[in-house]
Amino acid sequence: MTSINPAFVPTGVLFAGALLEIVLGGVLSRAVKGWLAFLTASLALVAVLAMMPAVIGGEVLTATWFDWDAGVPLTYHVDGLSVLFMLLGTGMGALILLYSVGYMEAETEGTTRFYVLMLLFIGGFVVLVCTANLLMAYFAWELIGLCSYFLVGFWYKQQAAADGSRKVLIITHLAGYGLLAAIMLLFVRTGTFMWTD
């Protein structure tokens, strides 16, 4: 029997929580959706905290899902810096979701969308800070950018929200295209998408 690598647990918990919000969104109350999202982010935070003793001891946690094309593995590389940012992302995300339980309770529509977007945003951030694959980092950046776009424009019927979301989309995608160009240049020079190589 194989055990689950601890490096994958925070991401898995966050994406599973987003999926659970989608599946159960029609039957849960607004408050329960909020508590479910908070619990999901808190479990991801606990998973990051569980990795800390090994990382503080100088260990680097690496884990590979699979080689998805021409030997380009989907690999995580968890060291001290990535754990620090994972703590920031999951910790701040959990606090924001805790605040959102009360804040979103008066919202009549879109609470499922809000909580799914928040969990995907936090999950994308965790992937971004712990991936060893630069292409995976680019996809995580784009996921974060799209979630930002939808969250800023959450009240899309208001002109200010729609204008703000367009600004976010332009800013994040222009930076994303620059990131993608840099990744491709690095690949041409080095022959690998793995920054750890």
Side-chain angles (χ1 to χ4, degrees):
M1 185 170 146
T2 60
S3 62
I4 296 173
N5 191 304
F8 292 137
V9 174
T11 308
V13 166
L14 289 163
F15 290 148
L19 182 62
L20 201 56
E21 289 276 354
I22 292 169
V23 171
L24 299 176
V27 296
L28 298 178
S29 69
R30 292 185 292 268
V32 173
K33 290 177 200 176
W35 286 113
L36 175 61
F38 169 70
L39 177 64
T40 300
S42 298
L43 287 174
L45 175 61
V46 169
V48 174
L49 289 170
M51 287 187 278
M52 282 192 66
V55 173
I56 288 173
E59 189 177 342
V60 175
L61 304 174
T62 57
T64 301
W65 283 347
F66 56 88
D67 289 342
W68 62 280
D69 189 20
V72 179
L74 298 179
T75 300
Y76 278 9
H77 177 91
V78 179
D79 57 12
L81 187 60
S82 55
V83 163
L84 173 66
F85 281 104
M86 288 167 73
L87 280 172
L88 285 171
T90 57
M92 293 300 293
L95 289 174
I96 291 166
L97 287 168
L98 178 61
Y99 176 78
S100 298
V101 172
Y103 186 79
M104 294 298 289
E105 196 154 13
E107 192 63 33
T108 57
E109 61 183 42
T111 53
T112 301
R113 175 171 41 106
F114 174 78
Y115 290 120
V116 168
L117 288 170
M118 282 297 298
L119 291 173
L120 289 176
F121 181 95
I122 299 166
F125 181 79
V126 170
V127 171
L128 180 67
V129 299
C130 66
T131 186
N133 183 322
L134 292 172
L135 278 181
M136 201 164 152
Y138 171 73
F139 292 130
W141 175 268
E142 289 298 329
L143 175 62
I144 292 167
L146 285 173
C147 289
S148 298
Y149 167 74
F150 288 119
L151 286 167
V152 170
F154 182 76
W155 289 289
Y156 56 89
K157 294 177 183 174
Q158 298 175 8
Q159 188 62 41
D163 292 342
S165 65
R166 279 191 289 274
K167 288 177 188 175
V168 167
L169 187 67
I170 291 168
I171 291 168
T172 58
H173 278 67
L174 286 178
Y177 298 142
L179 176 63
L180 183 60
I183 289 169
M184 291 304 162
L185 285 172
L186 279 171
F187 178 75
V188 169
R189 293 261 187 182
T190 63
T192 182
F193 287 111
M194 306 299 290
W195 69 263
T196 53
D197 290 347

